[in-house]
Structures are given as structure tokens and as C-alpha cells.
Amino acid sequence: MSLTLRTISREQHLAYIQSLPSASHMQVPAWADVKAEWRSESLGWFDKSGELVGAGLVLYRQLPKIKRYLAYLPEGPVINWFAPNLTDWLEPMLAHLKHQGAFSVKMGPPVIIRRWEAGSIKAGIQNPDVKRLRDIEADFIEPRAFEVADKLRRMGWQQGEDGGAGFGDVQPRYVYQVPLANRSLEEVHKNFNQLWRRNIKKAEKAGVEVVQGGYQDLEEWQRLYEITAVRDHFRPRPLSYFQRMWTALNTEDPNRMRLYFARHNGVNLSAATMLIVGGHVWYSYGASDNIGREVRPSNAMQWRMLRDAYALGATVYDLRGISDSLDETDHLFGLIQFKVGTGGQAAEYLGEWDFPLNKLLHKALDIYMSRR
């Protein structure tokens, strides 16, 4: 199958994404507007008959002082990763990006290698010999994913350093998902652990209400998010980032991004953003106050978001990144514990891969990034 690659319009790109069951929210054309500090381009792969059969959003980050770029395709490109002729897809992409002035390419194949059920993870947490997720035997393995990894290595791609939970610009390698396809809401609820079910009930009894917010509520979101940042020791994104995200994504599709608040006696206690692309729904950012935790606002909010995702016909509710550490002293352990309570599955992606088009500049970037 001979493929050609060229720049496509945002309209073509969006139409292609809309023709699929789903794609990453970082591969929709509007994501380019969210990442305004990067230059962007939509790429399209065409087959012999001229039909668009793949697409990718490329973000270009310029190196300080010279006109050379890091080309980044977060959780993309959106192509047939299991195609036997993977080289025919990626070679023209590398040639094009090199021509565009890229010295290095980073991509994140949206390919899942392994999945672990909640029960297996729980057993692992209780086993003192188990320190990491991959110390547990996976419940599902995708053999074709290993073939993809082998092909990439043979082509000269290098597996990026595993970012663990991937908080920052690298995307999470490990995520937590609640599958919704062919399941009733009752089944999903029954699969929650006892603590989750109890907390949802507690919130209902206390009169916690979960509401959707709009653009005008982003300042209130930011208030809760900054409280969370202080508590959890991370650097918060500015309000302007979320305003840009809201405007860009919802201009592209009025139901691409949602904002939820859980409130008690008129006071907002927790908030979350939700992203929707086809049948895939993500809980993307979460925030909560230091007060009112005893009425369990976060559990109530997640249960409402999950029900809304189900009503939208979603096949998966994605709670995004987790660390692969199962060590109770790890500062990210509480996160996996919270997410495992939903009874879903942990999934491991292939991770991010780099192709150095100019080995010297690629090395210089590595050194620059490690010093930040």
C-alpha cells in the first residue's frame, strides 16, 4: 500500500477525527490553539485512491536562538499502528518533518500493551514483594503492541524515558480507565469498592449537589485548583490556560470540554474538567478545597461525571495518569488507590518515542531538558 503524506486543513483533520470511534483529545485540531506557544500543523496520510486514511497534529517547539524545532505528536499520530507496513506510514512523516526544520521527533503511539483489573492490583498492593504495577501478572496483553515496539526500534526510534505518572509535558504511560461498553450503570456501580459506594451514599445523604459550570465559572475553578496545587506541591497552570482551553475546544465542538463542581450548602468543594472525543471521555484536571472533605464531594462528582459519560454513549471513562508504583510510602500512591476504587483497569501504553533527525541537536536538547 503506497501512502502519501501532506499538510491538510483543520477542516479535513476534524472531519477525519469525527469519522473515527475516538482519538486522543491531544490530536484534535483545536489542541493546537490550547498549546499556543507551539507552532502547529495538521498532517494527512492518503492512500492510492486519494482517500484520507490517517491524521496527525504536530506541535513545533523552536530551540532557543536557532530556527530548528522539536516536532511533537502527543498521543499520536492517528494512524493504523498495527499495519504490517508501519515503515510506509512513518518514513514519509519523518521526511516531511525534517523538511520543516525538525531536528528531533517525539510521538506517543496510542497503543495499549497491558491491562490489569482492579482485583489484581488490590492483591498486588497487599503483597509485600510487589513494588510496581509490572510486578503483577497482566490480565490482558496485546501481542501486536510488542511487534509495534520492535518495528519502531528497528527503524531507529528510541523509547523515551518513562515519565512515571507523566505529570508535565510528557504524557502518562500508565492510565486508569473504567470500561463502559456493553455494561449497565448498575454493573459499573457494583464494581466500585465498598469505600467508594459508601462515600457516594454519604455525599447524597449530606446533600452534596453536582452541577455543570461554564466559562464564567473558570475563576472559581482556578481558586480550588490553586488550593490543590499548594497542598499537592505542583506548579499550577494559569487561569488563562483553562480559558484558552475552554474557548478553543468548545468552539471546535460545543461538547468537547465540560466543567463540574460538587457543592455543599452553596459552597463549591471540588471541581473537575472533562474532555470528550467520540466514545472516549477523560477526567482531565481535578481540584478540591481543604474543607468539607467529610461529605465526600470528589466521589459524588466522579459518579455524576461517569453517569454523564455513559449517557453520552462513551465506551470508556478515562481517569488519566497514575504512577506505576504500588509502594504505600510513594507520594502518588493515594492517587492509584482512589482510582482503583472505581473497579476499572490500569492500562499501560507504549510510551513516548523519539527519533533524532540531528543527533547533535537532539543530545543538546536532552542536556537542556535535564537541567530544567
Side-chain angles (χ1 to χ4, degrees):
M1 170 172 164
S2 65
L3 294 163
T4 53
L5 177 135
R6 63 174 181 267
T7 306
I8 54 173
S9 70
R10 287 179 66 141
E11 292 70 32
Q12 282 173 295
H13 185 171
L14 182 60
Y16 180 70
I17 296 287
Q18 286 168 335
S19 75
L20 304 172
S22 181
S24 167
H25 60 274
M26 295 181 196
Q27 282 295 308
V28 300
W31 194 252
D33 302 328
V34 179
K35 297 289 172 190
E37 70 279 17
W38 299 63
R39 179 165 79 85
S40 63
E41 182 184 19
S42 290
L43 294 182
W45 281 259
F46 294 85
D47 65 10
K48 268 206 284 260
S49 67
E51 193 189 340
L52 184 62
V53 289
L57 175 70
V58 189
L59 301 173
Y60 293 97
R61 171 63 67 84
Q62 192 172 346
L63 263 190
K65 297 191 178 58
I66 55 170
K67 279 207 102 114
R68 298 302 293 275
Y69 304 86
L70 164 68
Y72 183 32
L73 295 99
E75 297 185 1
V78 185
I79 59 173
N80 176 10
W81 284 95
F82 299 131
N85 58 333
L86 194 56
T87 324
D88 296 357
W89 291 80
L90 297 179
E91 288 295 333
M93 180 181 88
L94 288 173
H96 176 89
L97 297 175
K98 189 172 188 170
H99 185 69
Q100 291 286 326
F103 66 88
S104 187
V105 181
K106 185 186 272 296
M107 65 176 184
V111 175
I112 288 174
I113 318 183
R114 302 178 184 87
R115 292 183 188 275
W116 295 266
E117 298 289 346
S120 307
I121 301 168
K122 246 176 275 182
I125 290 170
Q126 281 150 11
N127 180 345
D129 295 333
V130 169
K131 295 282 177 264
R132 303 203 158 270
L133 208 44
R134 45 173 73 179
D135 294 342
I136 304 169
E137 194 182 335
D139 293 289
F140 166 82
I141 287 180
E142 173 55 86
R144 294 180 303 172
F146 294 95
E147 282 178 46
V148 174
D150 283 345
K151 283 177 188 168
L152 291 176
R153 274 189 208 99
R154 283 203 298 274
M155 286 167 64
W157 288 86
Q158 301 166 0
Q159 194 150 22
E161 284 307 303
D162 185 4
F167 297 103
D169 268 344
V170 280
Q171 302 315 320
R173 178 152 182 188
Y174 295 91
V175 299
Y176 208 84
Q177 301 177 335
V178 180
L180 299 176
N182 309 317
R183 296 174 75 198
S184 68
L185 265 180
E186 290 71 44
E187 270 174 80
V188 174
H189 185 264
K190 223 194 299 199
N191 249 18
F192 283 169
N193 70 11
Q194 226 177 335
L195 185 64
W196 261 83
R197 292 202 301 268
R198 213 170 39 231
N199 287 344
I200 291 168
K201 210 176 226 154
K202 207 177 202 171
E204 269 170 31
K205 238 190 181 136
V208 171
E209 52 166 349
V210 180
V211 296
Q212 263 184 261
Y215 180 87
Q216 69 286 355
D217 301 301
L218 285 169
E219 283 181 29
E220 174 63 359
W221 147 264
Q222 192 71 13
R223 180 184 73 82
L224 292 167
Y225 173 63
E226 286 179 12
I227 291 171
T228 310
V230 172
R231 185 178 65 237
D232 294 348
H233 312 290
F234 66 84
R235 216 169 77 218
R237 291 190 181 274
L239 172 62
S240 58
Y241 180 80
F242 294 103
Q243 289 173 327
R244 193 164 67 231
M245 197 170 168
W246 183 276
T247 306
L249 296 179
N250 288 335
T251 300
E252 180 175 273
D253 179 332
N255 203 20
R256 184 76 84 220
M257 179 176 176
R258 290 184 177 190
L259 178 62
Y260 286 85
F261 290 98
R263 57 172 67 145
H264 186 239
N265 296 335
V267 179
N268 292 317
L269 297 176
S270 61
T273 61
M274 182 161 119
L275 300 175
I276 302 149
V277 183
H280 203 129
V281 171
W282 293 264
Y283 151 54
S284 71
Y285 283 89
S288 61
D289 206 331
N290 298 327
I291 57 165
R293 303 188 122 197
E294 67 288 346
V295 296
R296 305 297 174 198
S298 294
N299 298 86
M301 185 172 63
Q302 288 295 341
W303 177 226
R304 161 74 191 271
M305 288 165 73
L306 218 151
R307 293 199 317 267
D308 285 1
Y310 190 88
L312 286 167
T315 53
V316 61
Y317 180 70
D318 196 322
L319 291 129
R320 287 295 281 170
I322 51 171
S323 153
D324 76 325
S325 169
L326 298 179
D327 178 355
E328 299 194 16
T329 61
D330 189 297
H331 72 291
L332 290 169
F333 178 73
L335 193 65
I336 192 167
Q337 215 175 16
F338 178 76
K339 294 178 181 182
V340 166
T342 61
Q345 306 165 330
E348 179 190 357
Y349 280 91
L350 262 188
E352 295 198 318
W353 293 70
D354 297 302
F355 196 99
L357 292 163
N358 177 320
K359 293 198 167 56
L360 205 67
L361 286 176
H362 179 82
K363 188 100 189 107
L365 178 81
D366 269 355
I367 294 165
Y368 170 70
M369 292 308 278
S370 67
R371 286 188 184 145
R372 286 176 66 187

